Amino acid sequence: MPDESKPYHHGDLANALVTAAIAIIEERGVEHVSVREVARRAGVSPGAPFRHFPSKSALLAAVAEQAMERLSSAVRAAQAPHDDDPLDQLERIGLGYLEWAQDNPAHFEIVSQRSLVGLEGRSRELNDEIRTRMLSLLESAKSTGQLSKDADIDTLVLSCRALVYGLARMLVDGHFPEWQPNGNPAQWMKRSLALFIGELREHHREPSQPG
Amino acid sequence: MPDESKPYHHGDLANALVTAAIAIIEERGVEHVSVREVARRAGVSPGAPFRHFPSKSALLAAVAEQAMERLSSAVRAAQAPHDDDPLDQLERIGLGYLEWAQDNPAHFEIVSQRSLVGLEGRSRELNDEIRTRMLSLLESAKSTGQLSKDADIDTLVLSCRALVYGLARMLVDGHFPEWQPNGNPAQWMKRSLALFIGELREHHREPSQPG
DNA sequence: TCCAAATGTAATCGATGATTACTTCTAACA
DNA sequence: TGTTAGAAGTAATCATCGATTACATTTGGA
């Protein structure tokens, strides 16, 4: 039976700190995260976190890495199954991204602010993976004739990304009440994404083989 | 001849503080703005700013208001002339917004973070004005037959806004090196916007009157 | 001219990020 | 089993921050 008084060593303080930081972000926003408060929640002295992270930034970077890992999983899961219409897959990726952002605003906020945490190593990898995922779906849509052969794939990827990122950011930054007063944001985001993908589908479609 | 030593009263400290705050944001980002540093730049004691703004937030809100005023002007200027194709006007608004964000990243950053400064009074007014501007252009495009009669205007406004806001945010948040490694961001943003408006134009166009 | 309001200063408070010296525990080795 | 090196915590300290207060200076109108 474990000692009921806290042991001197926490056991897994690093993770506990990251979790505490996320809780604070969820409750009061990134700008209210302080190392001391994080330590307080983990039941540890104000200096303890610095044994695990050299700086506050490093702690936030760890939060970002965890967040990016989860976002990546959400996107991967949303894409499945991988054997249907590529543009449907693309739309599901967008929806998955948006739903994740809505369900995890704290995670999303920290992931999106590069100036706050930088983008290196694993995070960079996962980010690139998402882009590649979208790129290959569009390529594949082109090869199946859903997009015309001269469709500008690079610009399309950027546009999709910007739309989804913009919607997610608007949500987290609190722009929705003003930009779409009626209904819930999720509904509007879904419509907006569907409209965009729909346009791709119908406008860029290769005309059926003449002759 | 004015005394060469600083007068006891600054003369226009409120404005000087806002200007100093913007300079700091441009140099080191919003999160590094401190009232003391702002005061230091204005050549004034650490407590002085509080004679003009009740809190740091209030100072940032003033920055946001100035920023919103300028953004609004930029958008209004970009729309002119008002007598040509509505969708061209809409595209110019988007471009104007993006160029402004690129030229004034500090202003844009502070405008976009509602949690930081809120959105009330004049700022809210100007924001609504931009939305109304876009809305009426789309309505007008519908009436001229550039958009089909059953086009979902509300969703279109949201999509346009999300795309432009997303691009601007990606720029300011530093996502461009990863999402479009080649060429300069301005070029890519322009292409992305043109692609979107182009799709609206071609896909939603009302078929010419039969008979 | 004189005084009241506006504007700036100086001193102070509690909280923060960060560093240092010190203490306590854990686990690997003889 | 006992020792000990180092990992992981504490306590004390520092400069800086946002904010408040009491006080000083300037200004403009009665």
Side-chain angles (χ1 to χ4, degrees):
Chain A
M1 160 175 181
D3 194 345
E4 84 169 51
S5 70
K6 279 183 328 188
Y8 189 87
H9 287 291
H10 181 286
D12 193 12
L13 186 53
N15 278 330
L17 293 171
V18 169
T19 301
I22 288 171
I24 296 174
I25 299 175
E26 251 151 18
E27 290 168 23
R28 318 214 298 131
V30 204
E31 68 275 14
H32 288 107
V33 174
S34 78
V35 176
R36 298 174 105 94
E37 172 72 12
V38 166
R40 219 171 286 133
R41 297 208 183 201
V44 105
S45 77
F50 291 93
R51 290 283 170 195
H52 299 267
F53 304 99
S55 68
K56 178 182 180 178
S57 289
L59 170 57
L60 289 180
V63 173
E65 188 150 330
Q66 187 194 94
M68 197 65 211
E69 205 83 50
R70 294 188 184 182
L71 170 58
S72 181
S73 295
V75 164
R76 210 175 307 126
Q79 189 183 351
H82 293 213
D83 53 1
D84 59 340
D85 183 344
L87 290 186
D88 281 344
Q89 292 184 46
L90 188 63
E91 186 169 347
R92 287 204 304 275
I93 284 184
L95 282 176
Y97 190 105
L98 288 173
E99 276 166 18
W100 185 84
Q102 192 167 28
D103 294 344
N104 308 274
H107 279 104
F108 178 74
E109 201 175 337
I110 196 97
V111 159
S112 55
Q113 295 189 12
R114 296 294 146 80
S115 60
L116 212 60
V117 298
L119 184 72
E120 294 150 11
R122 183 79 179 128
S123 288
R124 172 70 194 244
E125 240 174 68
L126 293 170
N127 188 73
D128 287 347
E129 185 197 308
I130 293 181
R131 182 171 187 274
T132 302
R133 208 174 277 277
M134 294 171 62
L135 203 69
S136 73
L137 284 174
L138 283 167
E139 293 282 11
S140 149
K142 188 189 265 196
S143 77
T144 64
Q146 286 181 298
L147 298 181
S148 77
K149 280 196 275 290
D150 56 350
D152 182 348
I153 299 292
D154 283 334
T155 303
L156 281 174
V157 171
L158 179 60
S159 298
C160 292
R161 155 70 179 186
L163 180 68
V164 171
Y165 186 70
L167 288 169
R169 258 293 190 192
M170 283 176 69
L171 186 76
V172 168
D173 289 346
H175 292 225
F176 256 98
E178 338 145 21
W179 281 90
Q180 211 46 261
N182 309 317
N184 67 359
Q187 204 171 28
W188 283 106
M189 293 194 298
K190 197 167 178 171
R191 279 185 205 165
S192 175
L193 187 57
L195 183 147
F196 186 76
I197 299 282
E199 277 172 4
L200 289 191
R201 201 186 297 279
E202 304 194 24
H203 170 47
H204 281 99
R205 183 171 42 205
E206 191 76 347
S208 45
Q209 211 63 280
Chain B
M1 162 175 178
D3 193 345
E4 82 170 54
S5 69
K6 278 183 328 188
Y8 189 87
H9 289 291
H10 179 285
D12 193 12
L13 187 52
N15 278 330
L17 294 171
V18 169
T19 301
I22 289 170
I24 296 174
I25 300 175
E26 251 152 19
E27 290 168 24
R28 318 215 297 133
V30 205
E31 68 275 15
H32 288 107
V33 174
S34 77
V35 176
R36 298 175 105 95
E37 172 72 12
V38 166
R40 220 170 286 133
R41 297 207 184 203
V44 107
S45 78
F50 292 93
R51 290 284 171 194
H52 298 266
F53 304 99
S55 68
K56 178 181 180 179
S57 290
L59 170 59
L60 290 180
V63 173
E65 187 150 331
Q66 185 194 95
M68 198 63 211
E69 204 83 51
R70 294 187 184 182
L71 170 57
S72 181
S73 295
V75 165
R76 209 176 307 127
Q79 189 183 351
H82 294 212
D83 53 1
D84 59 340
D85 182 344
L87 291 185
D88 281 343
Q89 292 183 45
L90 187 63
E91 185 169 348
R92 286 203 305 274
I93 285 183
L95 282 176
Y97 189 107
L98 288 174
E99 277 166 17
W100 185 84
Q102 192 168 28
D103 294 345
N104 307 275
H107 279 105
F108 178 75
E109 201 175 336
I110 197 97
V111 159
S112 55
Q113 295 190 9
R114 295 293 146 79
S115 60
L116 212 59
V117 296
L119 185 71
E120 296 150 10
R122 182 80 180 128
S123 288
R124 173 69 196 244
E125 241 174 66
L126 293 170
N127 188 73
D128 287 348
E129 185 197 306
I130 294 181
R131 184 172 186 273
T132 302
R133 208 174 278 276
M134 294 170 62
L135 204 69
S136 73
L137 283 175
L138 284 167
E139 295 282 11
S140 149
K142 188 190 265 195
S143 78
T144 64
Q146 287 182 297
L147 297 181
S148 78
K149 280 197 276 289
D150 56 349
D152 181 347
I153 299 292
D154 283 335
T155 304
L156 280 175
V157 171
L158 179 60
S159 298
C160 291
R161 154 71 179 185
L163 180 67
V164 172
Y165 186 70
L167 287 170
R169 259 292 189 193
M170 283 177 70
L171 187 75
V172 168
D173 289 346
H175 292 224
F176 256 97
E178 337 146 23
W179 281 89
Q180 212 45 262
N182 309 317
N184 68 358
Q187 206 171 27
W188 284 106
M189 292 193 299
K190 197 166 178 171
R191 281 185 204 163
S192 175
L193 187 56
L195 183 147
F196 186 75
I197 299 283
E199 277 171 5
L200 290 190
R201 201 186 295 281
E202 303 193 26
H203 169 48
H204 281 99
R205 183 171 42 205
E206 190 76 349
S208 44
Q209 209 65 278

